[in-house]
Amino acid sequence: MKRNIPVVGMACAACAANVERRLQSLPGVKTATVSLPTRTAAVEWDEKVITPEDMKREVNAIGFDLVIEADRSVKEIERREYTLLKRKTVVSWLLALLTMAISMGWLHVGGKDVANQCALLLALANIVYCGREFYVNAWKQARHLIASMDTLVALSTGITWLFSTYNTFLGDSTWGVRSMEWHTYYDASVMVITFVLTGRLLEMRTRKATADAIGQLVGMAPKTARIYQGERNAPDGSRQPIVEEVPIATIDKGDVVEVRAGDRIPVDGIVTWANSFMTDDGAYVDEAMVTGEPAPVVKRRGSMALAGTVLSQGCLRLRAQKTGDDTTLAHIIKMVEEAQGSKAPVQRTVDKMASVFVPAVAAIAVLTFLAWWGIGGSQALPQAIMSAVAVLVVACPCALGLATPTAIMVGIGKAAQNNILIKDAAALEQIRKVDAMVIDKTGTLTLPNPSIDFTKADNLGPEERETLKPHAKEAIQQLRDMGVELFLMSGDNEEATQYWAQKAGINNARSRVQPQDKEKLVESLQKQGRCVAMAGDGINDTQALARADVSIAMGKGTDVAIDVAQMTLMGDDLRRIPQALNIGRKTVAMVKQNLFWAFIYNIVSIPLAAGAAHLAGINFQITPAWASAMMACSSISVVLNSLRLKYI
């Protein structure tokens, strides 16, 4: 079994890494890949050895949840999660402002002891109601010797609150007798939780925008359909169709569905009847969703119509062949979902770093505490504690974990909106390196003339026979401008191959080739150190497609070619190939930007939080409250930066 399972409760890269490792460690699980932006786990397992219920139980044990029940709606869970998070954030801000006002003396509630006790209760209320999940999850994870962002938040706020509570009741007897000034830091513990919750709330809002491509595709599937049940006599003697509007989920294979102008076709099916004012035996369907072509296509009896396409003119009936999750639209949605949840090679390296990031930060915090205490003695104890807390808070693995997958998610979504279906993130990362491309001629570069008699084709010239696709020459020139060397391969004769190569603007062409010859060319180019893409549409291209670094199939090609290829171009517009290269290059550039800023953030902020500026004689240090605000901003900035891909 292979399935994308929604995961609830993840907040950082360490969370995703923990869930992934937990799933991978289970007997019967072959592969498990967890994506933080999509909040899904792509799991392949042996159902004879393990069940989804077993996996859910194991994931629950470390503080997360898998949504495997049919009656649980992920959208509803996310909606409730967002509503609860918003409520907790508002309450946390109210408690934070009150705590800040009391701690800073802006609000007078009595003497110092009364003020500290009021701040203690407010901070405790914030921890119990607003921050409870941080502590529960941290405890569950600690029992299994793992850690995440929850661990850092729980440690930092818990230590700050406990130290402040100690000072509230024993400050005078411990520090006062030594003539040492002492303080409480309830405002810091409250502000850390407040800023972390605010950051998660904003991140959740911005994350929704990264899933626009899926939302648009899902929106193409109608919710209801009209079942045609025959005809009856009308009072005027005419025949009227009998139709019943039913939910889309109730349609079965073999049902006849009636579609009217302006409706989206609800299933994949064969047209049984069609009519419009332009033709008595046909209706016009807008298939731009599948092919990208703007001109409507006429559908007559026997034609295939696809779910999600729009009947722009006329009326038609079709017999359902594929319904629900079996339709072409459903397969496209599944492919995009899987691709957005897949991991680029660079992400696997980042995940390994994220898995040791939290323990490393905890170690740095301990060293910071010991350094301050060792240098300043007991008088530096408050400074040592607050410096260690600031380090725990400021070091956020969220930005590091979001840097790659959010950019990949937006890039794949952008490609889908341009009728380029990408199967996995590795292809998107790899295509930017392509500097050589092998292109099949017939079906990929050219289209056969449908009006010719193929028994006499050998006596006809190339232009009379296999026409050049629209915009093919423009696409080839764009690829050449991008530094890609092109090779045309064809089983056709020398004259035809050279003719179409010259027409398209390709300098390298080979004729009379066999399928293995295409594969050998790809292999020879790879041995020269080239990154090779292969574009084809037929069974004879599958060997070369499988061998290539990046394989591209035409959407109107054979199912075998499409299954082998990492990318599928819907329709015949070859300009989508340079578009795919451009999207790949822009996406990887965005990933590098995100990783750079995520690393710079941690490299700069951790020493400043630890108090390194004091070593240079500069009286500056990041406080825990400011550390939490910076941590939230770092995650949000990565997501917002990735969203720029949508507008480039």
Side-chain angles (χ1 to χ4, degrees), residues 170-377:
L170 300 172
D172 282 330
S173 60
T174 303
W175 316 111
V177 295
R178 302 178 189 177
S179 300
M180 291 173 55
E181 187 178 358
W182 59 270
H183 301 279
T184 57
Y185 304 93
Y186 295 115
D187 53 337
S189 70
V190 175
M191 290 306 296
V192 167
I193 291 175
T194 302
F195 277 125
V196 172
L197 291 176
T198 303
R200 290 189 178 181
L201 184 69
L202 293 174
E203 183 193 320
M204 190 177 286
R205 288 189 62 181
T206 52
R207 193 175 75 232
K208 290 179 181 179
T210 64
D212 275 355
I214 294 292
Q216 290 176 13
L217 288 171
V218 171
M220 291 178 178
K223 301 294 184 290
T224 60
R226 300 182 187 90
I227 298 291
Y228 173 75
Q229 298 175 329
E231 295 183 343
R232 62 185 172 196
N233 291 321
D236 61 0
S238 63
R239 300 282 290 171
Q240 287 185 339
I242 304 171
V243 295
E244 179 186 3
E245 189 160 336
V246 298
I248 191 77
T250 63
I251 299 177
D252 295 320
K253 183 178 179 180
D255 287 345
V256 176
V257 179
E258 182 170 293
V259 185
R260 299 169 187 172
D263 289 348
R264 287 195 180 273
I265 295 174
V267 296
D268 290 358
I270 303 295
V271 175
T272 59
W273 173 87
N275 180 270
S276 70
F277 71 85
M278 294 184 69
T279 173
D280 291 336
D281 64 345
Y284 289 84
V285 175
D286 179 355
E287 293 187 324
M289 180 273 293
V290 175
T291 65
E293 305 298 334
V297 179
V298 65
K299 297 290 182 182
R300 294 185 170 86
R301 184 173 181 176
S303 298
M304 187 72 180
L306 301 177
T309 57
V310 180
L311 184 62
S312 55
Q313 192 182 102
C315 181
L316 61 76
R317 297 178 193 131
L318 67 158
R319 191 174 299 279
Q321 300 293 307
K322 295 179 180 178
T323 63
D325 292 339
D326 293 329
T327 65
T328 300
L329 176 61
H331 285 164
I332 290 173
I333 292 171
K334 184 178 180 182
M335 184 185 292
V336 175
E337 283 179 335
E338 288 180 351
Q340 288 187 329
S342 64
K343 290 187 178 180
V346 68
Q347 178 62 25
R348 301 193 182 279
T349 304
V350 173
D351 284 349
K352 289 178 182 177
M353 296 175 63
S355 65
V356 298
F357 189 86
V358 174
V361 168
I364 293 171
V366 171
L367 290 174
T368 300
F369 172 81
L370 293 175
W372 275 102
W373 197 18
I375 293 170

Side-chain angles (χ1 to χ4, degrees), residues 556-633:
K556 291 186 177 179
T558 64
D559 289 342
V560 177
I562 292 171
D563 286 343
V564 170
Q566 296 164 301
M567 295 186 180
T568 301
L569 310 182
M570 307 305 289
D572 285 322
D573 194 339
L574 289 175
R575 291 178 299 180
R576 294 194 182 104
I577 297 178
Q579 265 188 334
L581 261 72
N582 191 42
I583 290 172
R585 291 179 179 183
K586 293 286 174 63
T587 301
V588 172
M590 192 66 71
V591 167
K592 289 180 176 179
Q593 285 180 28
N594 287 347
L595 286 174
F596 172 80
W597 289 113
F599 277 113
I600 286 294
Y601 164 80
N602 282 296
I603 289 169
V604 173
S605 60
I606 291 176
L608 290 177
H614 291 283
L615 297 176
I618 302 171
N619 188 24
F620 173 79
Q621 188 172 0
I622 297 174
T623 64
W626 278 111
S628 59
M630 289 173 63
M631 179 268 293
C633 289

Side-chain angles (χ1 to χ4, degrees), residues 39-58:
R39 266 58 176 181
T40 58
V43 189
E44 187 175 358
W45 73 92
D46 184 347
E47 54 187 342
K48 294 178 182 177
V49 179
I50 193 169
T51 66
E53 288 75 17
D54 296 330
M55 291 185 273
K56 178 184 176 73
R57 188 163 50 251
E58 292 293 328

Side-chain angles (χ1 to χ4, degrees), residues 421-472:
L421 301 183
I422 300 175
K423 285 188 179 177
D424 57 50
L428 191 65
E429 183 178 341
Q430 187 75 355
I431 197 171
R432 72 184 176 93
K433 304 175 186 175
V434 168
D435 57 5
M437 183 172 292
V438 179
I439 297 182
D440 170 60
K441 181 175 75 67
T442 308
T444 304
L445 187 69
T446 64
L447 293 170
N449 185 345
S451 63
I452 67 167
D453 182 351
F454 282 95
T455 61
K456 302 175 182 177
D458 289 339
N459 300 322
L460 300 175
E463 199 160 31
E464 295 174 289
R465 287 188 287 164
E466 291 141 54
T467 59
L468 197 66
K469 281 188 176 180
H471 311 297

Side-chain angles (χ1 to χ4, degrees), residues 537-556:
D537 74 316
I539 294 174
N540 62 335
D541 299 317
T542 53
Q543 285 179 247
L545 286 168
R547 173 70 63 179
D549 297 298
V550 178
S551 47
I552 303 170
M554 309 307 294
K556 291 186 177 179

Side-chain angles (χ1 to χ4, degrees), residues 359-419:
V361 168
I364 293 171
V366 171
L367 290 174
T368 300
F369 172 81
L370 293 175
W372 275 102
W373 197 18
I375 293 170
S378 59
Q379 294 209 13
L381 187 59
Q383 178 67 46
I385 291 174
M386 298 315 293
S387 297
V389 165
V391 169
L392 288 172
V393 175
V394 82
C396 173
C398 298
L400 197 62
L402 290 168
T404 299
T406 49
I408 293 291
M409 190 176 178
V410 176
I412 288 172
K414 183 76 172 177
Q417 290 169 353
N418 285 277
N419 297 99

